[in-house]
Amino acid sequence: MIPTTFISELAQFTNTQIAKVVLNGSYEIDTFRIKKVDAGTVELEYMIPAGSVAEVTLIELKSSKGQVVSSNEAYMPITSDTIIKHTVTVKEA
């Protein structure tokens, strides 16, 4: 069993590695409304401005060096300013 303190440290490390969100491989968001860690969960909240993309099909969290931290396929039409709440949970498998 992994101690909860170590899981929290891994979540903190993951949080420090996330510098931006990249939508559909090209549109970058580097401003977060919320970016915090609670126990083993990284919580991100960011806005997709209307007109920036017609739809979201891929969400990537990337480091400042452009390395992918997390990648998720999705489908969301964007017809107005859209606030996304994105969580990354660190847990023992």
Side-chain angles (χ1 to χ4, degrees):
M1 181 168 173
I2 298 174
T4 56
T5 54
F6 187 63
I7 289 174
S8 293
E9 288 176 19
L10 290 173
Q12 286 285 353
F13 175 76
T14 301
N15 185 48
T16 64
Q17 293 302 299
I18 299 169
K20 59 187 170 184
V21 177
V22 180
L23 304 175
N24 304 335
S26 60
Y27 185 79
E28 295 187 2
I29 300 170
D30 60 6
T31 303
F32 297 93
R33 295 167 53 103
I34 296 172
K35 186 173 186 269
K36 67 179 184 176
V37 175
D38 183 21
T41 302
V42 179
E43 181 182 336
L44 305 170
E45 189 175 283
Y46 50 91
M47 185 176 74
I48 303 172
S52 58
V53 294
E55 62 187 24
V56 175
T57 57
L58 178 65
I59 302 170
E60 294 175 301
L61 303 179
K62 290 192 175 185
S63 71
S64 59
K65 296 179 182 179
Q67 297 173 314
V68 175
V69 176
S70 174
S71 179
N72 295 284
E73 291 182 1
Y75 178 75
M76 289 180 288
I78 306 297
T79 58
S80 62
D81 288 351
T82 303
I83 296 173
I84 301 294
K85 187 172 191 175
H86 192 136
T87 58
V88 177
T89 303
V90 178
K91 62 182 179 179
E92 185 173 7

